[in-house]
Structure formats: structure tokens, C-alpha cells
Amino acid sequence: MKKIFAAAAIMSLVPLAMAGESAMKQVLGTWEQQVAAYEEAMKKAPSDDARAGITPPNPREIAPQLWQSINGRTGTRPNPKGKGRLATFEFEQPWALPAIVWILNNQQAFTAAFTEDEQSQISYFGEAIIDSINRIHYSNPGAGAVCPGISASANVRDYELLQKIYQRNQHKEARAAAALGLSLMLNNPMISSVEGSDSMARAKRLYYLKQAILLGGREGKFGTQPIIEIAMEQAYFLRHLAVGAIAPLLQLKDAQGETKRFPTPGQLTLLIFWDPAIPSSAAMLKDIDKLKAQFPGLEACPIMPHCTAEEQQKILSNLGVSSSYIDDANGTANRTYRIGMYPTTVLISKHCRILYGGSPDIKLQTALEAVMAAEKEASQASRPRVVIENNDAPVIQPGSTPSRPAPVGDEAVPALRDMPEF
């Protein structure tokens, strides 16, 4: 099966001499045929082993021909940053947008379009492609197709490009995709910081989500996925899993079968979603005691995928871990917290609000240290002030001027006389 797909890919490639719109369409048509054949083969495969033997089409085999079809020079244009002129290329033509979409969705494969001697040109042409979207393709009816690829960036320039598509494209489908891309990009702190505050960034995330649903409707697409499905999932994250949200309630069973509810009001809690089959995940559990010692008052709650009590005891014994809670057979805990990788940690405050969610890296350490510092500061501020009374006469330091005592007797200020009547 692998040889068949490889042979089909080689035989169907466009000759290197071809270029222009027709060549681009032929290359993309070949790619679509390969993808369709792969999906059909996967559906017909009788078993998991058979599916494992089917190789998906390799985008690196398509990239050189696709790039050659759109990289021809067409002339020059004035340099907006100074003197001289800049080269223009076929990918700046409106017909080249489908190829640009493919490149954005297969950025790693794009490097295969350049020989070893041309590697230094990758960055230049990558910037030129984005610039062509910013200058020309942003208003194209099909500009929504570039939004998923752009939204994967952490570059403020790309965020501003999506804003341009959303604000200036006249087509609802493109604006819907741009709105969803903007909301997704605002999940990145490097992007959300440009909005000035966390509250403003959150408000804009919600605004763009609503716009994506209103403009896209039930038929709108973001890449290959329905906009409404992605938007609803994003809304769930903002409502239940974003920093500051009230943490969803979990009911978990321990090895003895006893049920406990998390999070616990008044208790700083760290949920640790782990899988014994992943070494880095299991290794973290061995460091729980160190974590508790470093952060007194922290309740660590490890949660492992569903298994029987006997299997759990065997796993924990082999790893040298004392205890762990178990997810149920439906994976409710993992689905509730949208766990996509192991290990994942969720730090929850004493007021049951999420303080951090993600990998157990330096960001988690920083969040824990911030909580401890805030608690220490609050503890010091709440201590009663101690006032020491001293009835002794004040000590006058050398060189100071004592205040004059109040006059008595003849030195006293005379009383005011009555005002005469007129």
C-alpha cells in the first residue's frame, strides 16, 4: 500500500517546466486526489493494523511543484519604505490565493520547495507571501481560507492582518473566519497583551466569538471544521477553564473506592492529570511530596485514566506512588477539563477559581509562588497593630526646640471684651 501511494504521487506530479494558474490548479488537483484516495483507503481498511500500514500523502512531494507554479516574477513596484523598487511575483495575483492557503496549512513542507542553496530565501518569500495577503488578498472572497493558518501564529502583525480581513473584507464567510481566528489568537498572552488588560482581552474574545457565529452561521467553515463547533468549544473554555473562571466540580474515587469532591472551598488545590503509560507523566507523581513541602497548604490531586481498583494498585505499586484518584469509565474528568495531553495541571485557588492550566513547567511554578507571596502579604496585613503606651515625659533630642507650655496666670491671654452697641 505504501509503495502504491508513493508511485501515484510521483507519476502525477506536474512537470517542473510548467508554471502559472493552470499549473497551480493541476498540482492542487493532484493533492486533492491523493487525500481523497487516502481517506477512502482508511475507511475500507478492515483493521487497525491495516490502517497503520496506509501512508498519508506527503506534502513535501507537492510543495516544489506548487511553489514553482506561483513564484514567477511579474515586474516591480515602488518600495514603500524608501528609494528603489521591489520585485513582484505571481503569488500576488488573485488567482494564486488557493496555493497560498495550501502553503499556510503546510508550512513545514514549504521548506522542501527550496534547494540547499536556496534555504536563505525561505524567510524572504515567507514574509513576501504574508505581505501579499496584507496588500492584496485580504479583500478576496476566499480570504477566510487563510485565517486558520494565520491564527496559529503568535505574531502581533498576523493578529493585525486578521483584524484587517475582519474589518475590510465585504464577504461574511471571510469575516466569520477572521473573527474566530482573532478570538483564538487572544488566548495567547503575547497577543492579548496588546489589548491593554486581561478584562479587555476577554471581552474581545467573547465579542469575536459571537461575531463568528452570527456571520458564519451553521454552514461557515474554519479550515475543514464548522465554525459553530469551534466557537462553542471556545466559549466553554472561556466560561469554565480560563484563568479567573470558577473551576468545574469533579467527583473522584480513590483506590479505596471513597468519593471526594474537587475543588475544595478554602483549599489551594492542584489537579494533576497523568497517564502511567507516559514516563514524564508518571515521573511527576514521584515529586508530589517535594511539591507539598515547597508549598505548604497545597492539596495535590493526581487523576489517572479509568481502570479497575486492582489495576490501579498494581500500577501505583510498580511506580512507587502512594495514591491517585481515578477518572470514571466515561472519562468525565478529562472531558470536563478538556485534557489533550499528559501531564496537565490545573491550579485552583481557595475561592475555587482557576489560577493556571497547562503543562507543569516554569509557568506553574510562577503561579504557585505568586499565590504563596499573596497569602503571606495578606497574612502580614491582617495582623493587629500593637500600640505601646508610655506615660513618661517625652525625650527631647539635642538640638530640637521644645514646644512652649500653655501660659498661666498673668501670662494668660486676656478674654475678649464685649462688642459695643451702636
Side-chain angles (χ1 to χ4, degrees):
M1 183 67 73
K2 293 182 180 180
K3 292 182 179 179
I4 292 175
F5 270 98
I10 294 172
M11 292 175 64
S12 59
L13 292 181
V14 177
L16 293 178
M18 294 184 63
E21 183 176 4
S22 61
M24 178 198 74
K25 290 181 177 180
Q26 186 173 340
V27 175
L28 291 177
T30 298
W31 172 254
E32 291 170 1
Q33 291 174 5
Q34 292 179 14
V35 171
Y38 169 74
E39 292 175 349
E40 184 67 19
M42 291 292 285
K43 288 180 182 179
K44 293 182 177 180
S47 64
D48 290 340
D49 290 340
R51 280 186 283 272
I54 301 174
T55 303
N58 186 357
R60 296 178 68 88
E61 295 174 349
I62 294 293
Q65 286 72 30
L66 183 63
W67 175 237
Q68 183 156 344
S69 72
I70 64 170
N71 71 353
R73 289 188 58 166
T74 58
T76 61
R77 62 182 176 87
N79 185 352
K81 296 183 179 180
K83 298 180 181 180
R85 300 181 66 83
L86 299 176
T88 57
F89 301 88
E90 287 185 314
F91 57 74
E92 296 174 305
Q93 302 297 318
W95 58 260
L97 183 60
I100 290 177
V101 172
W102 191 94
I103 289 171
L104 289 176
N105 292 333
N106 298 275
Q107 295 183 33
Q108 292 184 342
F110 178 59
T111 60
F114 298 84
T115 65
E116 292 184 5
D117 295 335
E118 298 171 336
Q119 291 297 304
S120 60
Q121 300 178 13
I122 295 176
S123 177
Y124 168 79
F125 280 109
E127 294 290 326
I129 287 173
I130 296 298
D131 181 65
S132 73
I133 301 173
N134 193 36
R135 292 186 298 105
I136 299 164
H137 299 299
Y138 73 91
S139 61
N140 192 305
V146 304
C147 295
I150 295 175
S151 66
S153 167
N155 193 314
V156 174
R157 176 204 60 182
D158 296 333
Y159 177 70
E160 293 172 346
L161 175 53
L162 286 185
Q163 285 181 317
K164 188 173 184 177
I165 296 174
Y166 172 72
Q167 294 167 356
R168 299 175 62 176
N169 195 296
Q170 301 299 313
H171 304 273
K172 290 198 304 182
E173 296 80 4
R175 297 187 66 221
L180 182 54
L182 287 166
S183 183
L184 293 173
M185 289 190 78
L186 283 169
N187 287 325
N188 189 321
M190 295 178 65
I191 302 298
S192 62
S193 62
V194 305
E195 296 297 350
S197 66
D198 291 340
S199 59
M200 179 60 73
R202 179 182 174 82
K204 287 206 169 186
R205 282 199 295 266
L206 291 170
Y207 169 77
Y208 286 131
L209 277 183
K210 293 177 181 178
Q211 291 300 303
I213 295 173
L214 290 173
L215 293 168
R218 294 191 174 278
E219 302 301 323
K221 294 283 189 179
F222 191 75
T224 59
Q225 293 182 272
I227 282 179
I228 193 167
E229 290 184 8
I230 301 175
M232 295 302 291
E233 187 66 16
Q234 180 75 352
Y236 177 90
F237 173 83
L238 290 174
R239 184 176 300 172
H240 300 293
L241 301 178
V243 172
I246 297 295
L249 180 65
L250 294 179
Q251 297 190 57
L252 301 167
K253 289 186 177 182
D254 59 17
Q256 288 70 43
E258 296 182 4
T259 301
K260 186 170 181 180
R261 293 158 65 95
F262 292 98
T264 305
Q267 178 71 58
L268 181 65
T269 306
L270 181 66
L271 305 181
I272 305 171
F273 293 87
W274 70 289
D275 187 337
I278 300 175
S280 60
S281 178
M284 184 180 178
L285 255 65
K286 298 180 180 180
D287 294 331
I288 283 183
D289 291 337
K290 295 179 182 179
L291 197 65
K292 290 180 179 179
Q294 185 179 2
F295 301 102
L298 175 67
E299 180 175 12
C301 172
I303 306 169
M304 63 187 294
H306 177 74
C307 62
T308 65
E310 293 76 12
E311 290 172 335
Q312 184 196 33
Q313 289 288 1
K314 183 177 180 180
I315 291 170
L316 297 181
S317 177
N318 291 337
L319 293 175
V321 177
S322 58
S323 64
S324 176
Y325 292 91
I326 315 171
D327 200 354
D328 62 25
N330 296 322
T332 301
N334 279 264
R335 286 190 294 105
T336 300
Y337 279 84
R338 299 301 193 265
I339 304 303
M341 60 178 293
Y342 297 103
T344 292
T345 54
V346 181
L347 181 62
I348 304 173
S349 74
K350 293 181 179 181
H351 303 290
C352 298
R353 292 193 178 274
I354 292 179
L355 302 175
Y356 173 80
S359 300
D361 52 22
I362 188 62
K363 294 179 182 178
L364 172 61
Q365 182 82 9
T366 301
L368 282 166
E369 291 174 352
V371 172
M372 294 302 171
E375 289 188 353
K376 183 178 180 180
E377 183 177 349
S379 175
Q380 292 175 344
S382 64
R383 291 179 183 176
R385 295 182 62 186
V386 179
V387 179
I388 301 176
E389 295 185 358
N390 188 353
N391 296 324
D392 296 339
V395 178
I396 301 175
Q397 299 295 331
S400 63
T401 304
S403 59
R404 184 175 180 179
V408 295
D410 295 338
E411 295 182 2
V413 178
L416 295 176
R417 291 177 295 174
D418 293 336
M419 182 176 290
E421 297 180 359
F422 295 96

